[in-house]
PDB file of all heavy atoms in Angstrom:
ATOM      1  N   ASN A1200     129.768 101.802 111.375  1.00 51.00           N
ATOM      2  CA  ASN A1200     130.075 100.823 110.414  1.00 51.00           C
ATOM      3  C   ASN A1200     129.523  99.452 110.803  1.00 51.00           C
ATOM      4  O   ASN A1200     130.129  98.674 111.435  1.00 51.00           O
ATOM      5  CB  ASN A1200     131.631 100.697 110.252  1.00 51.00           C
ATOM      6  CG  ASN A1200     132.139 101.879 109.553  1.00 51.00           C
ATOM      7  OD1 ASN A1200     131.848 102.107 108.427  1.00 51.00           O
ATOM      8  ND2 ASN A1200     132.915 102.706 110.207  1.00 51.00           N
ATOM      9  N   SER A1201     128.318  99.226 110.401  1.00 48.00           N
ATOM     10  CA  SER A1201     127.607  98.048 110.793  1.00 48.00           C
ATOM     11  C   SER A1201     128.354  96.798 110.288  1.00 48.00           C
ATOM     12  O   SER A1201     128.529  96.517 109.092  1.00 48.00           O
ATOM     13  CB  SER A1201     126.215  97.997 110.108  1.00 48.00           C
ATOM     14  OG  SER A1201     125.425  98.996 110.714  1.00 48.00           O
ATOM     15  N   GLY A1202     128.865  96.009 111.282  1.00 43.00           N
ATOM     16  CA  GLY A1202     129.521  94.780 110.947  1.00 43.00           C
ATOM     17  C   GLY A1202     130.860  94.882 110.222  1.00 43.00           C
ATOM     18  O   GLY A1202     131.409  93.893 109.898  1.00 43.00           O
ATOM     19  N   MET A1203     131.344  96.128 109.991  1.00 45.00           N
ATOM     20  CA  MET A1203     132.555  96.261 109.204  1.00 45.00           C
ATOM     21  C   MET A1203     133.832  96.043 110.043  1.00 45.00           C
ATOM     22  O   MET A1203     134.775  95.388 109.524  1.00 45.00           O
ATOM     23  CB  MET A1203     132.600  97.700 108.584  1.00 45.00           C
ATOM     24  CG  MET A1203     131.493  97.922 107.629  1.00 45.00           C
ATOM     25  SD  MET A1203     131.578  96.887 106.172  1.00 45.00           S
ATOM     26  CE  MET A1203     132.939  97.586 105.335  1.00 45.00           C
ATOM     27  N   ARG A1204     133.885  96.529 111.230  1.00 44.00           N
ATOM     28  CA  ARG A1204     135.079  96.369 111.978  1.00 44.00           C
ATOM     29  C   ARG A1204     134.685  96.387 113.432  1.00 44.00           C
ATOM     30  O   ARG A1204     133.869  97.112 113.914  1.00 44.00           O
ATOM     31  CB  ARG A1204     136.012  97.642 111.731  1.00 44.00           C
ATOM     32  CG  ARG A1204     137.184  97.691 112.662  1.00 44.00           C
ATOM     33  CD  ARG A1204     138.392  98.405 112.022  1.00 44.00           C
ATOM     34  NE  ARG A1204     139.543  98.611 112.864  1.00 44.00           N
ATOM     35  CZ  ARG A1204     140.111  97.802 113.642  1.00 44.00           C
ATOM     36  NH1 ARG A1204     139.656  96.625 113.838  1.00 44.00           N
ATOM     37  NH2 ARG A1204     141.160  98.154 114.365  1.00 44.00           N
ATOM     38  N   ARG A1205     135.369  95.584 114.194  1.00 49.00           N
ATOM     39  CA  ARG A1205     135.223  95.482 115.725  1.00 49.00           C
ATOM     40  C   ARG A1205     136.311  96.235 116.343  1.00 49.00           C
ATOM     41  O   ARG A1205     137.487  96.123 115.950  1.00 49.00           O
ATOM     42  CB  ARG A1205     135.091  94.091 116.183  1.00 49.00           C
ATOM     43  CG  ARG A1205     133.880  93.331 115.520  1.00 49.00           C
ATOM     44  CD  ARG A1205     132.654  93.760 116.120  1.00 49.00           C
ATOM     45  NE  ARG A1205     131.541  93.109 115.440  1.00 49.00           N
ATOM     46  CZ  ARG A1205     130.309  93.518 115.536  1.00 49.00           C
ATOM     47  NH1 ARG A1205     129.970  94.497 116.280  1.00 49.00           N
ATOM     48  NH2 ARG A1205     129.389  92.838 114.904  1.00 49.00           N
ATOM     49  N   GLU A1206     136.004  96.996 117.371  1.00 53.00           N
ATOM     50  CA  GLU A1206     137.018  97.667 118.176  1.00 53.00           C
ATOM     51  C   GLU A1206     137.763  96.689 119.036  1.00 53.00           C
ATOM     52  O   GLU A1206     137.351  95.504 119.151  1.00 53.00           O
ATOM     53  CB  GLU A1206     136.349  98.798 118.997  1.00 53.00           C
ATOM     54  CG  GLU A1206     135.766  99.904 118.158  1.00 53.00           C
ATOM     55  CD  GLU A1206     136.821 100.741 117.420  1.00 53.00           C
ATOM     56  OE1 GLU A1206     137.996 100.485 117.553  1.00 53.00           O
ATOM     57  OE2 GLU A1206     136.423 101.647 116.706  1.00 53.00           O
ATOM     58  N   SER A1207     138.776  97.132 119.844  1.00 57.00           N
ATOM     59  CA  SER A1207     139.570  96.310 120.704  1.00 57.00           C
ATOM     60  C   SER A1207     138.622  95.682 121.791  1.00 57.00           C
ATOM     61  O   SER A1207     138.933  94.552 122.289  1.00 57.00           O
ATOM     62  CB  SER A1207     140.679  97.026 121.305  1.00 57.00           C
ATOM     63  OG  SER A1207     140.269  98.209 122.022  1.00 57.00           O
ATOM     64  N   SER A1208     137.521  96.330 122.086  1.00 63.00           N
ATOM     65  CA  SER A1208     136.583  95.806 123.083  1.00 63.00           C
ATOM     66  C   SER A1208     135.667  94.738 122.535  1.00 63.00           C
ATOM     67  O   SER A1208     134.974  94.084 123.222  1.00 63.00           O
ATOM     68  CB  SER A1208     135.687  96.934 123.642  1.00 63.00           C
ATOM     69  OG  SER A1208     134.917  97.471 122.637  1.00 63.00           O
ATOM     70  N   GLY A1209     135.719  94.593 121.190  1.00 65.00           N
ATOM     71  CA  GLY A1209     134.787  93.678 120.555  1.00 65.00           C
ATOM     72  C   GLY A1209     133.470  94.294 120.106  1.00 65.00           C
ATOM     73  O   GLY A1209     132.663  93.647 119.462  1.00 65.00           O
ATOM     74  N   GLN A1210     133.318  95.576 120.393  1.00 68.00           N
ATOM     75  CA  GLN A1210     132.104  96.291 119.982  1.00 68.00           C
ATOM     76  C   GLN A1210     132.268  96.913 118.591  1.00 68.00           C
ATOM     77  O   GLN A1210     133.363  96.998 118.128  1.00 68.00           O
ATOM     78  CB  GLN A1210     131.793  97.407 121.007  1.00 68.00           C
ATOM     79  CG  GLN A1210     131.418  96.747 122.320  1.00 68.00           C
ATOM     80  CD  GLN A1210     131.201  97.818 123.443  1.00 68.00           C
ATOM     81  OE1 GLN A1210     131.275  98.958 123.187  1.00 68.00           O
ATOM     82  NE2 GLN A1210     130.923  97.316 124.657  1.00 68.00           N
ATOM     83  N   GLN A1211     131.179  97.348 117.966  1.00 78.00           N
ATOM     84  CA  GLN A1211     131.158  97.908 116.691  1.00 78.00           C
ATOM     85  C   GLN A1211     131.854  99.280 116.596  1.00 78.00           C
ATOM     86  O   GLN A1211     131.653 100.106 117.510  1.00 78.00           O
ATOM     87  CB  GLN A1211     129.704  98.082 116.233  1.00 78.00           C
ATOM     88  CG  GLN A1211     129.579  98.460 114.781  1.00 78.00           C
ATOM     89  CD  GLN A1211     128.138  98.353 114.351  1.00 78.00           C
ATOM     90  OE1 GLN A1211     127.347  97.519 114.894  1.00 78.00           O
ATOM     91  NE2 GLN A1211     127.712  99.170 113.429  1.00 78.00           N
ATOM     92  N   SER A1212     132.605  99.425 115.556  1.00 78.00           N
ATOM     93  CA  SER A1212     133.359 100.756 115.394  1.00 78.00           C
ATOM     94  C   SER A1212     132.461 101.876 114.998  1.00 78.00           C
ATOM     95  O   SER A1212     131.418 101.704 114.364  1.00 78.00           O
ATOM     96  CB  SER A1212     134.470 100.580 114.379  1.00 78.00           C
ATOM     97  OG  SER A1212     133.942 100.327 113.100  1.00 78.00           O
ATOM     98  N   VAL A1213     132.889 103.074 115.378  1.00 82.00           N
ATOM     99  CA  VAL A1213     132.280 104.376 114.872  1.00 82.00           C
ATOM    100  C   VAL A1213     133.408 105.135 114.298  1.00 82.00           C
ATOM    101  O   VAL A1213     134.471 105.317 114.891  1.00 82.00           O
ATOM    102  CB  VAL A1213     131.712 105.136 116.093  1.00 82.00           C
ATOM    103  CG1 VAL A1213     131.169 106.486 115.678  1.00 82.00           C
ATOM    104  CG2 VAL A1213     130.525 104.326 116.762  1.00 82.00           C
ATOM    105  N   THR A1214     133.202 105.619 113.016  1.00 78.00           N
ATOM    106  CA  THR A1214     134.237 106.273 112.336  1.00 78.00           C
ATOM    107  C   THR A1214     133.764 107.616 111.786  1.00 78.00           C
ATOM    108  O   THR A1214     132.592 107.866 111.780  1.00 78.00           O
ATOM    109  CB  THR A1214     134.741 105.389 111.119  1.00 78.00           C
ATOM    110  OG1 THR A1214     133.724 105.177 110.215  1.00 78.00           O
ATOM    111  CG2 THR A1214     135.267 104.066 111.571  1.00 78.00           C
ATOM    112  N   GLY A1215     134.723 108.332 111.298  1.00 78.00           N
ATOM    113  CA  GLY A1215     134.452 109.642 110.620  1.00 78.00           C
ATOM    114  C   GLY A1215     134.602 109.469 109.102  1.00 78.00           C
ATOM    115  O   GLY A1215     135.516 108.902 108.626  1.00 78.00           O
TER     116      GLY A1215
END
Side-chain angles (χ1 to χ4, degrees):
N1200 288 296
S1201 294
M1203 295 297 287
R1204 171 153 174 46
R1205 298 289 175 191
E1206 294 292 359
S1207 56
S1208 64
Q1210 295 175 1
Q1211 188 171 330
S1212 66
V1213 175
T1214 63

